[in-house]
């Protein structure tokens, strides 16, 4: 009887912890991405993401990112950038809960190629993260690699998928893995919308996220 009670207690505790982390709850990411070409070799990256533990609310994270892109050629882009991230690390709402703040510098290199109708993009990124948790600060470094594949269905519609792995350069090497699939539509020549699903995997925990992403890439070069 004691063993049965212990087993039930452990099972209930595990279930409660899963609920408190939000693992069993669908969340949502609402995102904007922009790339403004300012010269033949340079463009400006702009980005805003608002992430929620639940689809209708419960704030998780705000991410604002910008960067300067150098276009080596049509298939290779190097970027130096900065990001500011505000994070609520808990699913449950607590009075007086303090969000962490992060200032991040990143370096990025993108390579593109085409195989048949499939468009491939390889993104390599290094990040230096300066995090303020309120009671203490920490500096962390990590590397990221993302393989993205886009398949045009028509001139208007397309599908997009990627897998991205995060590698910590301190402590445990594995950080997280993101697997994504989306359906997209070209709104205009320089804008598109994607509706997708993300499986965000950490060590011992997974999150399911709906994603809505708007892409707007106007060319700001002066017309000759």
């Amino acid at each position: 009887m004691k063993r049965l009670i212990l087993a039930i207690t452990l099972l209930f505790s595990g279930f409660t912890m899963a609920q408190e982390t939000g693992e069993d709850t669908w969340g949502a990411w609402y995102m904007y991405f922009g790339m403004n070409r300012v010269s033949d070799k340079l463009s400006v990256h702009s980005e805003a993401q608002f992430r929620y533990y639940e689809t209708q609310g419960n704030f998780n994270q705000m991410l604002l990112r910008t960067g300067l892109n150098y276009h080596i050629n049509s298939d290779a882009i190097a970027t130096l950038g900065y990001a500011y991230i505000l994070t609520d690390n808990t699913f449950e709402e607590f009075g007086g809960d303090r969000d962490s703040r992060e200032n991040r510098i990143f370096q990025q290199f993108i390579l593109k190629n085409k195989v048949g109708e499939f468009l491939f993009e390889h993104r390599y990124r290094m990040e230096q993260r300066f995090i303020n948790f309120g009671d203490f600060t920490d500096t962390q470094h990590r590397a990221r690699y993302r393989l993205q594949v886009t398949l045009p269905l028509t001139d208007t519609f397309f599908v997009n998928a990627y897998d991205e792995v995060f590698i910590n350069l301190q402590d445990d090497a594995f950080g997280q893995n993101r697997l994504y699939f989306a359906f997209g539509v070209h709104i205009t020549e320089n804008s598109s919308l994607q509706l997708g699903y993300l499986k965000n995997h950490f060590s011992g925990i997974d999150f399911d996220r709906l994603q809505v992403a708007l892409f707007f890439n106007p060319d700001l070069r002066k017309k000759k």
Side-chain angles (χ1 to χ4, degrees):
M1 180 60 70
K2 289 182 179 180
R3 291 181 179 179
L4 179 60
I5 294 173
L6 178 60
I8 294 174
T9 302
L10 291 174
L11 180 62
F12 179 77
S13 298
F15 177 76
T16 303
M17 290 180 64
Q19 289 294 317
E20 290 176 348
T21 62
E23 184 179 13
D24 296 336
T25 303
W26 280 73
W29 292 9
Y30 303 102
M31 306 177 292
Y32 162 82
F33 300 93
M35 186 179 74
N36 304 110
R37 201 69 175 261
V38 295
S39 72
D40 290 343
K41 289 294 185 180
L42 298 176
S43 66
V44 177
H45 175 83
S46 57
E47 179 179 343
Q49 299 191 32
F50 300 91
R51 302 171 177 176
Y52 297 90
Y53 284 110
E54 300 173 272
T55 55
Q56 299 299 318
N58 194 349
F59 174 76
N60 173 208
Q61 190 173 75
M62 178 191 73
L63 185 150
L64 304 174
R65 182 157 37 212
T66 188
L68 182 63
N69 302 317
Y70 179 75
H71 296 256
I72 301 170
N73 55 48
S74 59
D75 296 322
I77 305 172
T79 305
L80 176 64
Y82 164 80
Y84 174 76
I85 301 97
L86 180 67
T87 305
D88 180 349
N89 294 290
T90 58
F91 173 74
E92 298 290 340
E93 299 293 337
F94 299 102
D97 190 24
R98 184 181 299 178
D99 297 339
S100 67
R101 289 167 169 79
E102 176 181 346
N103 292 284
R104 181 185 303 173
I105 300 171
F106 70 94
Q107 305 80 41
Q108 180 175 283
F109 184 58
I110 289 177
L111 283 175
K112 301 178 182 180
N113 67 289
K114 186 176 181 180
V115 179
E117 294 298 318
F118 292 89
L119 307 175
F120 288 85
E121 181 183 284
H122 307 265
R123 189 178 76 183
Y124 308 86
R125 181 183 290 176
M126 295 291 297
E127 296 177 333
Q128 299 81 51
R129 309 173 63 203
F130 307 95
I131 310 173
N132 186 334
F133 291 99
D135 296 326
F136 68 97
T137 60
D138 193 17
T139 300
Q140 300 179 8
H141 305 268
R142 71 182 178 193
R144 298 166 57 170
Y145 168 70
R146 187 185 75 181
L147 174 60
Q148 177 176 268
V149 183
T150 303
L151 176 63
L153 301 176
T154 67
D155 291 338
T156 302
F157 301 103
F158 62 93
V159 291
N160 179 266
Y162 70 70
D163 188 80
E164 182 173 20
V165 61
F166 294 62
I167 302 297
N168 296 320
L169 302 183
Q170 65 284 306
D171 304 323
D172 295 332
F174 177 76
Q176 59 179 290
N177 190 86
R178 295 177 180 174
L179 181 63
Y180 171 77
F181 179 82
F183 178 77
V185 55
H186 294 290
I187 303 171
T188 66
E189 183 180 359
N190 55 25
S191 65
S192 64
L193 183 69
Q194 290 187 29
L195 177 62
Y197 162 76
L198 177 78
K199 170 67 75 173
N200 201 177
H201 171 68
F202 296 84
S203 296
I205 193 168
D206 294 279
F207 295 102
D208 298 296
R209 296 293 182 255
L210 296 175
Q211 289 198 348
V212 180
L214 174 66
F215 296 80
F216 184 48
N217 305 314
D219 192 334
L220 301 182
R221 288 176 289 186
K222 292 183 179 180
K223 303 298 182 182
K224 296 182 179 180

